[in-house]
Amino acid sequence: MRFDRLWHNARIATIQPGRPDLGIIEKGVIASTDGVISFVGEESSLPLQYDADERIDCEGRWITPGLVDCHTHLVHGGNRALEFEMRLAGATYEEIARAGGGIISTVRATRKASLEGLVQSALPRLDALIAEGVTTVEIKSGYGLDLDTEARMLEAARHLSGYRGIGIATSFLGAHALPPEAVGDKDRYIDDICRTVLPEIARRGLADAVDGFCEGIAFSPEQMGRVFDAARALGLPVKLHADQLSNLHGAALAAEHHALSADHLEYTDAEGAAAMANAGTVAVLLPGAFYFLREKQLPPIDAFRKAGTEMAIATDCNPGSSPLTSLLLTMNMAATLFRMTVEECLVGVTRSAAKALGLSARIGSLEVGKDCDLAIWNVESLAELVYRIGFNPLHRRVWRGQ
Ligand code: DI6
Ligand code: FE
């Protein structure tokens, strides 16, 4: 057997599917060939005859799958720090909107930004994720709200993979907010997305999935249903920002459309949780937005556990409701705020996050034939990854065997 690289003297959490635990190997070895895992198992089960160009002694460190941040708005123009400051000083939503704040201020800044400008402003945020062992990130559009800017955002997201060794999955989020030029006509805007914008985005191959924001302040379940029908007619999988601020039964709508995921879910009920489990739709929980907006309504974690709904967690990195670029801190928040277990947090940033992107066959767990994306940690136990606040114990990150 020939290996390019072999990591030995490691404790490995394979997080492979179909196991109730994290799939731990105490005296583990993992090897890569052409960027793909070619061996993973006990040191004692290594074939007697093998060739490895490089052997790396992990000195007893832990190895997990490279982390997957499955919900971000990483590419956008500007930031909303001043709006944050105004809110702290007691400004109301209307006052902030009148002062040019809110989601539309990010739309304005994003429309003004060039492709290169979007890439350059996203890189430091991407680097923060990479520094903590993230090897795949999902990036949404949704701050353009016109064909040119939505396409430019998605191109910028795709371009990022030319600057850093990282997997990028894109989602078209044209149904994020109503642009000012639509003058209040949500139905006409949704028609335009379904007939013109989405088909052109699909034709250019810019989106791996289609997302939407189903909420009183955004789009109705009926309007999102039309976007989903159009997406699926084009062969694109769907996902949904659902039940974040109220229960519009977005989780059930997502399940009905066999969505990869429904995200946020603070107001989801037990029926929604069960519908998601039946459809194999992943629940993506976003504790950063819950924290930053000082929400009180907890997502129904117990209902997801009872129904067997898979749970992922993600940063939701965005300038308005979650200016967060740490997946480690996100895990800590999921544990402290949502009372998720250490295992749930770790599965949530690996195997389930991969499933939320439709990428389970390639990433999210350590098995022969999958991409060799690893995070190697200076920790004594895996619980430390969830326990610490603002500390980064990453030793090395490996993407596609490098
Ligand atoms: N959920 C949110 O919380 C936001 N978008 C979304 O889909 C907020 C985005 C913003 O304020 O920029
Ligand atoms: Fe979001």
Side-chain angles (χ1 to χ4, degrees):
M1 248 210 231
R2 188 191 74 81
F3 304 133
D4 293 333
R5 215 166 262 110
L6 178 145
W7 293 264
H8 66 102
N9 195 10
R11 305 170 81 185
I12 301 176
T14 62
I15 318 196
Q16 71 212 55
R19 288 187 58 148
D21 54 19
L22 296 174
I24 285 167
I25 305 170
E26 282 292 340
K27 281 194 173 322
V29 171
I30 187 161
S32 75
T33 308
D34 300 326
V36 170
I37 296 170
S38 43
F39 178 88
V40 56
E42 298 283 349
E43 198 125 21
S44 58
S45 63
L46 254 179
L48 287 173
Q49 304 279 326
Y50 73 84
D51 250 335
D53 294 348
E54 193 180 353
R55 279 173 59 88
I56 297 156
D57 184 352
C58 294
E59 301 169 324
R61 292 187 180 88
W62 276 98
I63 300 182
T64 66
L67 307 189
V68 178
D69 192 352
C70 68
H71 179 141
T72 88
H73 309 249
L74 198 85
V75 168
H76 57 260
N79 71 66
R80 309 238 288 276
L82 292 181
E83 173 181 328
F84 176 62
E85 204 176 354
M86 285 173 70
R87 265 175 39 207
L88 289 173
T92 65
Y93 187 80
E94 278 74 29
E95 285 164 341
I96 287 166
R98 256 188 281 117
I103 197 164
I104 292 305
S105 79
T106 302
V107 172
R108 229 182 290 117
T110 304
R111 285 179 175 180
K112 270 195 229 136
S114 65
L115 177 63
E116 184 59 18
L118 288 175
V119 168
Q120 289 303 327
S121 67
L123 277 172
R125 293 188 281 270
L126 186 65
D127 284 337
L129 295 176
I130 287 173
E132 290 186 348
V134 171
T135 48
T136 301
V137 62
E138 185 259 13
I139 302 177
K140 304 175 193 299
S141 66
Y143 289 118
L145 311 180
D146 60 33
L147 173 60
D148 275 4
T149 318
E150 288 289 308
R152 196 160 69 253
M153 286 184 78
L154 294 170
E155 277 168 29
R158 290 256 197 258
H159 271 60
L160 286 169
S161 65
Y163 288 77
R164 300 289 187 271
I166 188 163
I168 308 266
T170 59
S171 301
F172 170 67
L173 180 57
H176 188 197
L178 192 67
E181 63 273 14
V183 286
D185 197 339
K186 289 186 183 177
D187 275 318
R188 232 182 78 192
Y189 178 70
I190 291 293
D191 279 346
D192 189 45
I193 284 189
C194 295
R195 291 194 195 130
T196 314
V197 182
L198 177 53
E200 182 57 21
I201 294 283
R203 194 189 64 77
R204 298 190 205 169
L206 287 173
D208 300 316
V210 174
D211 197 347
F213 190 18
C214 185
E215 197 61 63
I217 56 167
F219 298 100
S220 70
E222 187 274 328
Q223 288 161 338
M224 277 320 309
R226 277 151 59 202
V227 174
F228 283 175
D229 287 338
R232 293 172 70 208
L234 293 162
L236 288 170
V238 301
K239 42 180 56 231
L240 188 64
H241 286 69
D243 308 336
Q244 181 188 6
L245 309 169
S246 62
N247 186 7
L248 295 186
H249 305 287
L253 173 76
E256 218 174 281
H257 289 262
H258 301 280
L260 291 172
S261 71
D263 304 34
H264 285 292
L265 305 173
E266 277 81 348
Y267 285 84
T268 296
D269 54 28
E271 292 91 276
M276 288 176 63
N278 286 333
T281 297
V282 177
V284 177
L285 304 166
L286 306 169
F290 177 91
Y291 162 84
F292 195 73
L293 298 175
R294 307 178 77 226
E295 299 276 2
K296 297 285 177 287
Q297 173 86 19
L298 287 163
I301 304 292
D302 268 330
F304 293 135
R305 286 179 183 137
K306 280 204 192 86
T309 317
E310 275 192 52
M311 293 184 279
I313 55 185
T315 62
D316 194 16
C317 172
N318 79 66
S321 67
S322 187
L324 171 62
T325 46
S326 168
L327 203 47
L328 290 176
L329 179 55
T330 303
M331 279 201 277
N332 179 271
M333 287 176 168
T336 50
L337 299 173
F338 295 170
R339 309 312 288 165
M340 289 174 71
T341 67
V342 165
E343 281 195 10
E344 285 169 340
C345 289
L346 290 167
V347 169
V349 294
T350 55
R351 188 177 76 214
S352 296
K355 185 168 179 195
L357 299 179
L359 294 174
S360 297
R362 296 247 46 89
I363 58 167
S365 60
L366 303 179
E367 295 169 279
V368 169
K370 293 194 175 172
D371 293 344
C372 188
D373 296 352
L374 314 175
I376 308 176
W377 304 98
N378 283 317
V379 294
E380 284 170 27
S381 74
L382 291 173
E384 265 183 77
L385 297 177
V386 180
Y387 153 80
R388 294 195 186 278
I389 304 171
F391 181 75
N392 181 3
L394 188 76
H395 171 67
R396 287 266 185 292
R397 169 187 178 275
V398 175
W399 184 69
R400 309 269 165 96
Q402 308 266 350

